[in-house]
Amino acid sequence: MAGAPIVSLEGIEKQFGAVRALDGVSLQLPAGQCIGLVGHNGAGKSTLMQILAGTIMPGHGHVLAAGAAQLAYGPSRAMHLGIRCVFQELSLCPNLTVAENALAYHAELTGFGWRRKCASLIAGKLDEIFPGHDISPSDLVQDLSIGRRQMVEVARAFSESGSPPRLIILDEPTSSLDAHASRQLIAHIRRSVERGMSFVFISHLLGEVLGCSDRIVVMRDGRIIVDDAASAFDRDKLVTAMGGAASGAEPSTSAAADGTAPIQVRARPARGGAGAELIARGGEVIGLAGLAGHGQTELLRDIFAAAMGRRSNIEVRAEVALVAGDRQNDGIFPLMSIAQNISIASLAGLRDGLLLSRRKEDAMAGFWHDRIAIRTPDMRDNILSLSGGNQQKALFARALASPARIILLDDPTRGVDVATRQEVYELIRSEAQKGRTFLWYTTESDELVHCDHVYVFRNGAIVADLARGELSEEKVIHSSFQEAG
């Protein structure tokens, strides 16, 4: 049973220029409860949690602890209250080791031997949450896959040396984790709730929200629309509360499913010489699956490099576009507008004589603004003005707006809401029917049903090729743990 509130939010309002992100939100966060916080991209979830974590100040309203308004509320006060946050955009320092990054939450670990203490702290928590993680405290963060970085960020938030964490905000914590690691994290959350810890769990994976939460809060347009026990919802009721519709029809098979279309990509993973070869034909949607960090992203990058003429051992027969999974480091251009981020892969078609046409660029941006509902009042605003999910929409629009016939998708729906996911799936299938080829790495097993067939990776090699008719989560997981023949 939930205890007294650790902290409460009262009448919180926040505005960014013309965008009203929060409109009078009040929320109590009691001890010993996991609150699932859901809503479409731009609903205000992340902004509300940044206020709770003290990283931004509300325009109006108060944060209350022990019934008293916190007038000088900021990150240090939130830490003192035991509030930790795993942000959607990871906050690790890439040029530091895993152990050195742990020091950010444990400034008291100073003096002789602090690295050893931090290493022991973070390694112990990684072992507890993600057994078999294969991460060393001496690893540089920049050398880790995005999934392993997410594990480190989570473990750092759970770690304790001085004041223990009482409330942990998890903003899309499984977005870069594979199914196995996601289950490990959710199991640890439930064990921690039983010990009296509290969580705010933000996710667009509604099955995870329903399975992990005691209570679910639905936000829409900067307001709380529904606040009820998790037992009052199923997936369809939750989608309806968010303002969407239940999932649509079964995905269709692509025009290239009979294997007669021309080969567009032929590649063998660099680390997996003993494994199978990947073959992608025109109009196919090819899934890349398996545990995170086993060579899927590396192969997509190698294919992209081959298209640029930088690799000779991979056959690529058409122009390529890549939707990066790590949007902050590999995707967005942070100094450019939303429109410029979308149009940058299509500049040849936007010329008016020798110069780029702003009119054509605005028309392209406006088309994609409407096509996938990018939430912004002005496509000339900076890309960083968008929520994480809307930034990902812009990257997807960039790839589809380009003339590329081969689209590489590196976990493209990371941080994207359920309604937009359905639109993305329909766009992929529609473009595949027109002859475009998709190579789609996803950490979410449910998305593999949209693929014509799926290559499963293990230790950098392809260990299985599963047709859609024989595809199941059990087969993918079983293949993920076998070695290449």
Side-chain angles (χ1 to χ4, degrees):
M1 182 177 291
I6 296 171
V7 67
S8 299
L9 303 171
E10 186 177 275
I12 300 295
E13 298 181 11
K14 186 66 179 179
Q15 193 150 334
F16 298 100
V19 178
R20 194 173 186 83
L22 296 172
D23 188 10
V25 175
S26 296
L27 181 66
Q28 287 197 342
L29 299 151
Q33 190 177 78
C34 180
I35 297 173
L37 183 60
V38 299
H40 293 318
N41 292 127
K45 308 180 301 295
S46 294
T47 301
L48 186 66
M49 292 303 101
Q50 288 183 65
I51 288 172
L52 179 58
T55 56
I56 63 175
M57 296 293 293
H60 296 282
H62 301 286
V63 180
L64 291 84
Q70 306 295 296
L71 300 179
Y73 193 75
S76 60
R77 180 58 182 159
M79 284 286 290
H80 179 75
L81 292 171
I83 298 171
R84 307 274 182 86
C85 188
V86 176
F87 293 110
Q88 184 177 355
E89 308 301 344
L90 302 184
S91 61
L92 301 173
C93 298
N95 60 327
L96 300 181
T97 67
V98 171
E100 289 166 346
N101 268 277
L103 189 64
Y105 272 14
H106 304 291
E108 70 278 1
L109 296 181
T110 57
F112 182 75
W114 69 265
R115 280 189 178 84
R116 177 182 51 79
K117 294 175 186 176
C118 286
S120 175
L121 197 67
I122 196 73
K125 196 54 69 173
L126 281 166
D127 291 341
E128 183 181 348
I129 304 172
F130 304 108
H133 53 79
D134 194 29
I135 300 170
S136 169
S138 61
D139 287 341
L140 278 176
V141 165
Q142 64 191 17
D143 296 333
L144 299 176
S145 67
I146 188 170
R148 285 184 167 86
R149 283 185 234 170
Q150 193 144 31
M151 290 182 185
V152 173
E153 185 101 35
V154 168
R156 184 175 69 164
F158 275 89
S159 62
E160 55 185 275
S161 60
S163 59
R166 301 176 62 207
L167 170 64
I168 299 181
I169 304 161
L170 299 168
D171 193 352
E172 299 287 351
T174 65
S175 60
S176 296
L177 302 181
D178 57 46
H180 177 65
S182 297
R183 284 194 291 268
Q184 289 178 321
L185 174 57
I186 289 171
H188 187 75
I189 290 171
R190 292 312 310 169
R191 291 194 298 269
S192 300
V193 169
E194 291 173 5
R195 296 195 296 265
M197 194 179 293
S198 293
F199 296 88
V200 178
F201 186 85
I202 303 175
S203 178
H204 292 301
L205 303 180
L206 302 186
E208 288 185 351
V209 174
L210 290 165
C212 186
S213 305
D214 302 295
R215 174 176 147 219
I216 294 178
V217 174
V218 181
M219 291 189 69
R220 193 191 311 162
D221 298 327
R223 299 178 180 179
I224 290 177
I225 303 300
V226 180
D227 183 346
D228 206 345
S231 59
F233 297 92
D234 58 22
R235 190 183 185 282
D236 286 344
K237 287 181 180 177
L238 196 49
V239 170
T240 301
M242 291 166 60
S247 57
E250 192 73 16
S252 60
T253 303
S254 78
D258 60 1
T260 61
I263 292 175
Q264 296 288 66
V265 179
R266 187 190 297 271
R268 190 182 299 276
R271 287 195 283 142
E277 185 178 54
L278 179 147
I279 295 176
R281 298 179 181 274
E284 280 190 323
V285 181
I286 305 297
L288 309 184
L291 300 177
H294 279 252
Q296 303 94 329
T297 295
E298 289 88 340
L299 181 60
L300 291 180
R301 290 181 176 179
D302 287 346
I303 293 170
F304 188 80
M308 301 296 108
R310 296 196 295 269
R311 290 187 68 94
S312 58
N313 61 334
I314 292 176
E315 181 182 340
V316 182
R317 296 183 177 177
E319 192 172 343
V320 170
L322 171 67
V323 180
D326 187 355
R327 59 178 166 264
Q328 294 303 309
N329 292 319
D330 303 327
I332 65 169
F333 293 90
L335 299 181
M336 292 184 178
S337 70
I338 305 163
Q340 290 169 323
N341 267 273
I342 291 173
S343 65
I344 196 166
S346 309
L347 297 181
L350 299 177
R351 284 164 42 184
D352 192 355
L354 296 177
L355 301 177
L356 290 176
S357 168
R358 176 161 177 165
R359 176 183 55 81
K360 291 180 179 179
E361 184 177 68
D362 286 341
M364 174 182 284
F367 173 82
W368 287 103
H369 172 274
D370 297 338
R371 182 81 182 271
I372 55 177
I374 298 174
R375 290 179 61 93
T376 179
D378 189 347
M379 294 293 280
R380 285 285 164 186
D381 286 347
N382 184 273
I383 186 74
L384 296 179
S385 68
L386 296 178
S387 67
N390 279 284
Q391 289 177 25
Q392 197 71 13
K393 291 184 191 181
L395 297 187
F396 198 86
R398 178 199 298 169
L400 291 187
S402 78
R405 302 302 297 165
I406 301 168
I407 310 295
L408 310 177
L409 304 174
D410 188 6
D411 219 2
T413 59
R414 178 174 176 257
V416 174
D417 62 60
V418 63
T420 303
R421 284 169 187 260
Q422 295 300 324
E423 294 171 8
V424 166
Y425 304 153
E426 291 171 10
L427 278 171
I428 290 173
R429 184 54 56 190
S430 171
E431 293 296 314
Q433 293 289 346
K434 298 173 185 175
R436 267 181 161 169
T437 302
F438 291 83
L439 275 70
W440 182 359
Y441 169 48
T442 175
T443 54
E444 298 170 27
S445 300
D446 290 348
E447 293 189 328
L448 297 175
V449 71
H450 299 278
C451 301
D452 297 311
H453 63 103
V454 173
Y455 290 103
V456 184
F457 284 64
R458 167 73 176 172
N459 290 333
I462 294 173
V463 295
D465 179 3
L466 304 175
R468 182 192 288 181
E470 60 180 330
L471 187 66
S472 68
E473 186 173 6
E474 290 74 21
K475 283 191 176 182
V476 171
I477 292 173
H478 176 76
S479 301
S480 298
F481 287 95
Q482 72 182 45
E483 298 294 338

